[in-house]
Amino acid sequence: MSTSRRRSRDSVGDVSGQNTDVIPAQRRGARQILAAGIGNTAEWYDWYIYSFLTRYFAPQIFPGDNALAQTLSSFAVFAVGFFLRPIGGLLIGALADRWGRRNTLTLTILTMGAASLIIAITPTYASVGILAPVILVFARLVSGLSIGGEFAANTTFLVESAPEGRRGFYSSFQYVSTTIGQLIASGLATVLTLTLTSSQMNSWGWRIGFAVGALIALVGLWIRRAAVETHVPPVEHKPHLFEAIVRFPKPSLLIIGVTIAGTISYYTWTTYLPNYAEQNKVDPSMALLISTISLAFFGAIQPLVGSLSDRIGRKPLLIIFAAAFAVGIVPGLALIRSGPSFGGYLLISLLGMVLLSGFTSISAALNAEIVPGRVRAAGIGFPYSLTVALFGGTAPFIGTFFAERGNPGLFGWWVALLCVVSLVVYIVMPETSRKPLAD
């Protein structure tokens, strides 16, 4: 274990106000995972409830009578929020390096809750005109800033809490908690669409989803009070804002290359797929139900794949994931456009989730293993969030754009191309799973 990590572990009791010596290691580890996970769940619930309910609130917020154009506008706002993520990753990541992970995670969950509440009470275009989409854009910008910082601080906090040889397992809970947030969002959206009429959903039902997001954030704030700090910032020299980028440009570029395939595949398969299916005449209720089942399966397999990476390394799983998506995404989306049965659509969705877990379960560990500890949060947060903004956040918008132009099949080729780019990176990069975390 590195010197800085030993110093951090020895000092965390003083930083958090708790005596960690009297807490069993297993219980302490579970508590750290829960503290990291609850905020991640809250963040991503908010992000995905927006996607799942966009077809209901878009006509209320944006002018016009073209439903597809309103959906496109809604996804454009979704993408705009992503472009605040790199700034959040840099600013809040630097704060986590200077101020500690635990305090920063408290800030991000408060910000997320505020953004969710703003959307819940956003007035309609009919009542306030252009101010309605302006308020929505503001809320997504706040959310984007928060989630960029959340990932930066959360990733470092979670992996730094892991014992040696267990970083892949701990890392997997990044996407377990993300999936729980998606699952709650998908499940609630399904319940709302099955119990409320279309008129009720369009007028006020969609607001329930965002109000629940604000409540989840409050629960997360309470749980994080028990978290133990994992990083004691140096007193003599605190890292400056751009230190990670200036001093460690190679790790920053490596994180970008690693993330490209993962983010486009993730947002395509977990966020955009239900909307893609609906655009191609699949029943909306069936699409949401299959999404819910697939997400539950996806979350369940994360620790298994993460533990596997601790045994065989990160590279084999990454190579299999990128190669399979590069080859399979075009025929997979074509099968969905053909109008498959419930069982056929579910099988396609589950297979994609298995392959995708080769990236998601180890993403946090891999990023933390690439960047030195003193600048780890900012060093991960900025390049990762920038890549997600450019390639992940734009996935629903690009897919909808191709559909509006009458060429939905082009989207699959776009995803395949980006997977090939990352596949090359995975092949040439060094294995990181056996190395201790750098100072």
Side-chain angles (χ1 to χ4, degrees):
M1 184 180 294
S2 67
T3 302
S4 65
R5 290 195 74 208
R6 285 199 303 269
R7 183 171 62 251
S8 295
R9 293 287 179 85
D10 292 341
S11 307
V12 289
D14 295 332
V15 173
S16 64
Q18 301 176 56
N19 182 6
T20 60
D21 293 335
V22 300
I23 302 174
Q26 185 175 9
R27 179 183 169 192
R28 186 164 63 247
R31 186 176 62 182
Q32 294 292 91
I33 290 173
L34 180 61
I38 186 61
N40 214 27
T41 296
E43 293 276 1
W44 288 94
Y45 168 87
D46 170 77
W47 210 253
Y48 281 93
I49 200 69
Y50 182 98
S51 177
F52 290 139
L53 297 181
T54 189
R55 64 191 298 263
Y56 298 104
F57 71 78
Q60 308 300 313
I61 304 299
F62 299 99
D65 298 321
N66 188 320
L68 187 58
Q70 290 170 333
T71 299
L72 189 62
S73 297
S74 176
F75 278 136
V77 174
F78 186 85
V80 166
F82 267 81
F83 282 95
L84 260 288
R85 290 184 59 158
I87 298 175
L90 181 62
L91 295 178
I92 301 179
L95 186 62
D97 290 328
R98 295 174 60 90
W99 192 29
R101 321 301 192 204
R102 178 175 175 268
N103 291 334
T104 307
L105 289 172
T106 299
L107 174 65
T108 57
I109 201 169
L110 280 172
T111 309
M112 185 282 301
S116 190
L117 183 60
I118 289 172
I119 297 179
I121 61 176
T122 297
T124 64
Y125 185 86
S127 61
V128 298
I130 194 64
L131 188 59
V134 169
I135 292 173
L136 181 67
V137 169
F138 172 75
R140 297 322 294 172
L141 292 178
V142 172
S143 184
L145 188 71
S146 172
I147 203 168
E150 169 70 19
F151 184 89
N154 193 302
T155 295
T156 54
F157 175 83
L158 186 59
V159 179
E160 287 170 355
S161 297
E164 296 295 343
R166 299 280 283 171
R167 292 196 298 261
F169 175 74
Y170 271 59
S171 168
S172 69
F173 285 93
Q174 183 87 29
Y175 277 88
V176 170
S177 55
T178 294
T179 303
I180 291 173
Q182 292 176 261
L183 190 59
I184 296 172
S186 177
L188 179 60
T190 302
V191 170
L192 290 175
T193 57
L194 291 177
T195 57
L196 299 179
T197 66
S198 296
S199 176
Q200 290 172 326
M201 283 296 300
N202 288 328
S203 62
W204 55 267
W206 60 270
R207 297 182 186 275
I208 296 175
F210 295 103
V212 170
L215 292 176
I216 294 174
L218 288 178
V219 174
L221 179 64
W222 176 75
I223 290 177
R224 280 189 168 170
R225 294 175 60 224
V228 176
E229 182 60 74
T230 63
H231 173 71
V232 178
V235 176
E236 64 280 2
H237 176 69
K238 295 184 181 296
H240 60 75
L241 184 62
F242 297 102
E243 185 165 339
I245 302 171
V246 173
R247 291 192 57 192
F248 305 100
K250 185 176 178 180
S252 296
L253 291 174
L254 183 56
I255 287 177
I256 291 173
V258 164
T259 305
I260 288 175
T263 189
I264 186 67
S265 301
Y266 180 76
Y267 284 100
T268 297
W269 216 250
T270 66
T271 304
Y272 180 60
L273 198 62
N275 288 282
Y276 183 86
E278 291 176 30
Q279 290 168 6
N280 289 278
K281 312 305 180 184
V282 175
D283 180 74
S285 297
M286 186 179 87
L288 277 175
L289 178 58
I290 289 176
S291 176
T292 302
I293 295 171
S294 299
L295 286 172
F297 172 78
F298 184 61
I301 65 176
Q302 295 299 307
L304 300 176
V305 182
S307 294
L308 180 62
S309 78
D310 287 328
R311 296 175 62 87
I312 69 172
R314 320 293 186 215
K315 287 187 61 172
L317 298 178
L318 291 169
I319 290 172
I320 292 172
F321 145 70
F325 257 85
V327 173
I329 186 65
V330 173
L333 292 180
L335 286 172
I336 291 177
R337 289 199 306 275
S338 69
S341 64
F342 180 90
Y345 182 8
L346 179 61
L347 181 62
I348 295 169
S349 183
L350 292 179
L351 179 59
M353 294 299 188
V354 171
L355 297 172
L356 186 58
S357 67
F359 170 81
T360 56
S361 64
I362 61 177
S363 174
L366 182 64
N367 288 334
E369 290 161 354
I370 291 173
V371 183
R374 64 188 305 272
V375 294
R376 182 167 290 131
I380 293 173
F382 180 71
Y384 176 88
S385 297
L386 179 63
T387 309
V388 171
L390 291 173
F391 300 104
T394 57
F397 177 81
I398 292 175
T400 305
F401 177 81
F402 284 141
E404 189 181 48
R405 293 297 185 272
N407 295 297
L410 290 179
F411 181 65
W413 290 104
W414 170 243
V415 176
L417 174 64
L418 296 181
C419 287
V420 170
V421 172
S422 284
L423 178 60
V424 174
V425 175
Y426 299 154
I427 292 172
V428 301
M429 68 180 287
E431 179 60 62
T432 62
S433 62
R434 305 289 184 260
K435 298 178 181 179
L437 292 181
D439 292 344

